[in-house]
Amino acid sequence: MGKRPVNQLAWPVQSILISILFISNFFPFYITLVTFAVIFIFLSMLGLIGPQYQSEVPTSIWIFIAYSAVISFVYQNWAGFGISIAYILIALYFNYYQQVIQPYFVEELLNIALIASFIIFIFATMEYLNWVPEWDYSFISPEINRIHNGRAEATFANPNYYAMMLEFFFFIALYKFMRTTKLRKKIVFLLIGFCNLFATVYTGTRTSLLVVIGTLFVFYYIMGYKKIAIGTFLTGTISVLIAIKLGLLPRFEDLGFAFEDRFVIWDIALKGLRDNFWFGQGPLTYLMIWQDYGEKYTQHAHNIILDTLLSYGVIGTTILAIPIVSLARNINQMRKYPILRRRLALICSFGSVVLLHGMFDLTIFWLQTAFLFLFIVLAANNMLKEVEAHPELQGNLSDYARD
């Protein structure tokens, strides 16, 4: 493994490139794709990213990608094969990101995310009120361009993807609110957080508020506020039940139909899993097999565990679990240092959003949601290294870089 020639590109320039890609993630996904391709090529030409650094990526990730590609090829799952190749580029880029990101700069990325979320909220409000049309994706795919009547998708191609982004935005705002000591900033973060929470109503995603309630418990529990965690969980649950009873939440009146719809999808997925328990057929396996077992068309199994097993089988899922467990153990090391407690709560809240929302949908399996998740969670390693390298930060400090 060669040493990364960082002198060829100063950190301020690298930080600008990271910011450009990060900002592009809040535009329609094809803009993110083009931006990612340009920046990837540029960094490759400078020798900052590429196959020469493949040994920095955990071996289990490469084994998983190879497995995904081979199994997709064997079953002629060409969409899955293309996604598997994309995994290589994503692994190389985020390995580079994980090596160079500086913890202080993550705070700037979070600020960018909140500014973007407020602008997107304004656009989503106009979209929900039918003042502006949904974004046009017809030149890419009629399926992506499907109209979602009475639901806002903003710049994220689907209301459910926007819902997950809103959940992320809300917990970024909560993290910032807890972090700052300045009243004016607290008011701003509270406003942005409320706007993003309110916008979940625009998406019509019935599980969003439930995800937020469950993740609030995780956030406050990690922070050490166990009584607040229990209080917010109970208060939130009761409030949502009252709102449903009063008919204040759109699409909740047909919640029974939504569960029935999911049961049909899960039944098809389980039948497919029983017939290919060990291997799977690669990404988007459900799209390959739905006609063999039922009549419900959709792209995935709408459950993160079931879809992973269906797509990669027990063998592939076991391989994928290895780097996930390794990352979780590394994140868990942050518990040793009180100074990292807020950042740990944010990272754990992101994980909670993915898991809880993933019980009924697979919204993390989308470019924009996955990128935002990776940008924040993969910074954990350098956050930990920074504190471990500075003994003066290892005491009982509440925070050392408040906004």
Side-chain angles (χ1 to χ4, degrees):
M1 178 182 66
K3 187 177 180 181
R4 208 176 290 272
V6 292
N7 292 335
Q8 291 190 22
L9 198 65
W11 162 247
V13 180
Q14 293 187 65
S15 66
I16 291 173
L17 292 177
I18 290 172
S19 297
I20 291 173
L21 179 57
F22 190 76
I23 292 170
S24 76
N25 201 49
F26 305 116
F27 286 84
F29 74 95
Y30 53 85
I31 296 177
T32 311
L33 277 174
V34 172
T35 306
F36 177 76
V38 171
I39 291 177
F40 189 95
I41 293 170
F42 181 68
L43 293 174
S44 298
M45 292 173 63
L46 291 177
L48 291 171
I49 193 172
Q52 64 270 34
Y53 304 111
Q54 62 180 342
S55 60
E56 295 178 353
V57 180
T59 303
S60 55
I61 290 181
W62 292 126
I63 294 174
F64 171 75
I65 292 174
Y67 176 89
S68 178
V70 169
I71 207 70
S72 298
F73 183 82
V74 168
Y75 285 96
Q76 299 182 10
N77 177 4
W78 304 122
F81 184 79
I83 291 170
S84 301
I85 299 304
Y87 286 163
I88 299 174
L89 304 181
I90 293 171
L92 289 172
Y93 176 80
F94 278 100
N95 169 63
Y96 155 79
Y97 171 83
Q98 194 173 28
Q99 301 298 322
V100 304
I101 188 63
Q102 297 186 24
Y104 85 88
F105 193 68
V106 177
E107 300 299 328
E108 299 305 321
L109 295 181
L110 295 176
N111 289 333
I112 291 172
L114 290 181
I115 293 170
S117 77
F118 188 71
I119 296 172
I120 293 169
F121 167 76
I122 296 173
F123 177 79
T125 301
M126 293 190 292
E127 180 186 340
Y128 185 74
L129 296 174
N130 293 317
W131 293 354
V132 296
E134 290 186 2
W135 211 277
D136 186 7
Y137 299 96
S138 58
F139 68 98
I140 298 176
S141 166
E143 178 60 27
I144 296 177
N145 198 54
R146 186 162 58 95
I147 301 299
H148 302 89
N149 293 321
R151 303 177 68 191
E153 62 184 37
T155 57
F156 301 106
N158 186 292
N160 296 325
Y161 299 145
Y162 182 35
M164 176 169 274
M165 295 295 282
L166 287 169
E167 292 155 14
F168 286 150
F169 291 150
F170 174 79
F171 284 99
I172 292 172
L174 179 60
Y175 162 80
K176 285 288 190 178
F177 176 84
M178 298 290 291
R179 180 181 173 88
T180 187
T181 58
K182 298 176 181 178
L183 180 60
R184 285 179 298 179
K185 288 190 175 183
K186 280 187 177 292
I187 293 173
V188 170
F189 294 138
L190 187 64
L191 173 64
I192 294 176
F194 174 78
C195 288
N196 284 301
L197 184 63
F198 184 77
T200 60
V201 177
Y202 296 164
T203 69
T205 302
R206 287 163 287 224
T207 55
S208 273
L209 291 178
L210 304 180
V211 171
V212 169
I213 291 169
T215 303
L216 274 171
F217 177 86
V218 173
F219 183 91
Y220 283 119
Y221 188 88
I222 296 296
M223 285 285 295
Y225 304 142
K226 296 181 182 179
K227 291 182 179 179
I228 295 178
I230 296 172
T232 54
F233 180 80
L234 294 176
T235 302
T237 301
I238 293 171
S239 299
V240 168
L241 290 175
I242 293 173
I244 294 173
K245 185 69 175 177
L246 296 176
L248 300 178
L249 299 178
R251 301 183 77 229
F252 268 85
E253 65 276 3
D254 59 350
L255 190 60
F257 170 78
F259 275 104
E260 181 181 339
D261 187 61
R262 289 294 187 271
F263 290 145
V264 172
I265 296 171
W266 295 340
D267 182 62
I268 293 172
L270 285 169
K271 289 177 180 177
L273 179 60
R274 282 195 294 267
D275 286 347
N276 196 344
F277 183 71
W278 293 103
F279 300 104
Q281 297 183 28
L284 298 180
T285 289
Y286 185 95
L287 194 59
M288 294 279 293
I289 59 95
W290 69 274
Q291 287 180 307
D292 297 331
Y293 301 101
E295 299 179 351
K296 181 60 182 179
Y297 166 81
T298 187
Q299 293 182 338
H300 50 72
H302 283 72
N303 179 281
I304 192 169
I305 298 173
L306 181 56
D307 193 81
T308 303
L309 285 168
L310 179 66
S311 296
Y312 306 109
V314 172
I315 294 175
T317 301
T318 302
I319 297 171
L320 177 61
I322 296 172
I324 293 176
V325 170
S326 177
L327 175 62
R329 286 176 176 171
N330 194 44
I331 291 172
N332 189 50
Q333 295 299 310
M334 297 173 70
R335 294 175 58 228
K336 297 179 181 178
Y337 307 107
I339 205 169
L340 294 176
R341 188 60 60 88
R342 289 187 180 87
R343 287 173 171 174
L344 176 60
L346 176 64
I347 290 170
C348 289
S349 70
F350 268 48
S352 175
V353 164
V354 171
L355 289 175
L356 293 179
H357 203 133
M359 292 299 101
F360 298 96
D361 208 344
L362 199 65
T363 43
I364 192 60
F365 196 66
W366 178 250
L367 182 71
Q368 292 155 298
T369 52
F371 269 27
L372 180 56
F373 177 82
L374 293 172
F375 269 117
I376 305 309
V377 172
L378 292 183
N381 190 50
N382 281 0
M383 293 176 183
L384 185 62
K385 285 182 178 179
E386 181 183 55
V387 175
E388 290 177 338
H390 296 85
E392 68 274 13
L393 300 178
Q394 297 175 15
N396 189 23
L397 305 174
S398 59
D399 214 331
Y400 65 97
R402 287 179 179 266
D403 293 319

